[in-house]
Amino acid sequence: MGRSRYLRAVHSGPAGGLDPEAPETLMECLTGVSERIGRPAVLIAMDDLSAIAVSRVAPMLRERFRIPHQPDNLPARVADKAELSRLCARWDVPHPETVIPASGAEAAEAAWRLGLPVVAKWSRPWLLPAGADGLRSTMLLHTTAEARRLYERSAEAGSRLLLQRFLPAGPDTDWFFHGAFARGGRPLLAGSGRKELSWPVRTGLTAVGRWLPDPAVEEAGLRLAERLGYQGILDLDFRRDERGCFRLVDFNPRPGAQFRLFADAAGLDVVQAMYLDLTGQQVPQPSGGPGRVFVAENYALLAAVRGGSLPRRRAARPAEPAPSAGAPGASASVLPGADRQAAPKRAAERGRVETAWFAGDDLMPFLAMLGALLGRGAGKGVRALRGVPEQGRRTARAVVRTPRQRGRSQDSAGSTGSAGSSAGPDSRPVPPEASAEPDELVTR
């Protein structure tokens, strides 16, 4: 980004890095930036940590910056995995069954009851110490012993451990929702899309995504924004479970990496819509857009090499029935003023491809990315020829078929769970050395 011809200036962040628990350094830094700019500027956080820190100093910066109104530490609340689980249960938004254990023994028992492998998350991942061995924001655990050991590192991690039922990945399981909202959760521009390729495969960032309207995803995103009174940009991640239910797995209170996918026919995206709203300008009614394709060239190449091919163009899925008049969010529209009945037709139309790096009038970011990609590839090749293992290499495992579920009835396999600290009276004792391998693993 620093090489783009459209970037006018770069302002350094706080010395020593960003610490949301010590906002005075960010306050001092942003005050200096404001004085150099010389007039009020729009301030939009581009990652979770920045969003949390900015919200804590926003009341003192209202005269210097135009900032979305997010009171009561809202970004930290929705980025907190435990709080998000409670909000989903409160507002009936489907969410993976989640347990917050209160001891190592409870963690082991919950892992067994939820079904191995199980997803482990730290409630506040921004508090994880840098460089801590074996502590990552999200992990896939394959044994009850792993769950017990991970819980015992809670103090080191700085927040609570959550265990969630694992939802296996597939070709139509990963969806996302992006939106820009004015005060009160009023949508300015929003849409849902499907992740068609990711890097790392099945578990990582969007390499290829498509804007595809889906009423269930859109309704859940709009409902959350309205209930929260959310102003600003958000990025939600959903996974479709084995019963076809979309479950919210992550809430990011900032633009997603693929936010340019959601640009209408005139080029209006969620960041531009937010800029217009914060500066008191009229936001145009969005027109067109569904069917567009986003490609992150570096990740798409790697994912295609690993997965075999780039996804082919597919016809839009049949539209699902719209919510009834009395259902929550029934009056909401993803594209304000747009005809919702025309969405399937627009999605089936040939969509324009939005590349993450390449632009004919601004080649330097693409060339810099290409140089870095080739440099990393050459470095790995040299290490392979010398027989030297890459430092810090990690082995990731992704389950590609539904794992065996132990200690849970078939009726409860797809139910929406809520956070709790106990495995329940019907849980089984945890065997000391239970096999934890899923049906099939893809290892890289």
Side-chain angles (χ1 to χ4, degrees), residues 61-100:
L61 294 171
R62 294 294 177 192
E63 300 300 319
R64 296 180 178 272
F65 291 96
R66 302 292 179 259
I67 308 173
H69 182 65
Q70 297 178 333
D72 303 323
N73 208 20
L74 181 58
R77 289 170 52 209
V78 296
D80 185 316
K81 313 302 182 186
E83 179 68 16
L84 179 62
S85 178
R86 286 193 289 268
L87 291 176
C88 288
R90 177 181 176 185
W91 292 330
D92 197 27
V93 174
H95 185 66
E97 185 176 355
T98 302
V99 174
I100 306 176

Side-chain angles (χ1 to χ4, degrees), residues 173-342:
T173 57
D174 290 321
W175 288 69
F176 44 81
F177 175 89
H178 281 49
F181 295 86
R183 284 209 179 200
R186 178 174 62 86
L188 302 169
L189 173 65
S192 62
R194 181 176 64 200
K195 187 184 296 187
E196 303 198 346
L197 273 183
S198 61
W199 183 257
V201 176
R202 299 186 182 89
T203 61
L205 301 172
T206 300
V208 178
R210 192 182 301 270
W211 185 346
L212 289 177
D214 188 284
V217 174
E218 294 165 357
E219 194 275 334
L222 292 169
R223 184 196 311 174
L224 272 173
E226 181 182 6
R227 296 285 177 86
L228 290 167
Y230 191 91
Q231 182 187 21
I233 301 172
L234 55 77
D235 166 27
L236 309 180
D237 292 322
F238 293 84
R239 177 159 286 188
R240 185 198 295 266
D241 68 14
E242 59 269 27
R243 295 187 174 185
C245 177
F246 288 103
R247 297 188 181 274
L248 178 66
V249 295
D250 209 4
F251 190 128
N252 303 301
R254 40 77 179 171
Q258 68 272 40
F259 76 90
R260 276 293 299 170
L261 171 63
F262 297 96
D264 74 352
L268 180 72
D269 60 35
V270 292
V271 173
Q272 295 173 20
M274 198 73 253
Y275 174 88
L276 293 174
D277 181 68
L278 291 174
T279 55
Q281 302 178 63
Q282 182 68 33
V283 180
Q285 293 292 342
S287 61
R292 282 168 52 84
V293 176
F294 171 84
V295 178
E297 300 93 319
N298 50 344
Y299 296 140
L301 175 62
L302 295 170
V305 169
R306 181 59 59 88
S309 65
L310 288 169
R312 298 178 179 271
R313 187 182 303 278
R314 301 168 182 166
R317 299 188 311 124
E320 299 180 21
S324 62
S331 61
S333 175
V334 172
L335 295 176
D339 181 3
R340 200 175 175 90
Q341 297 299 322

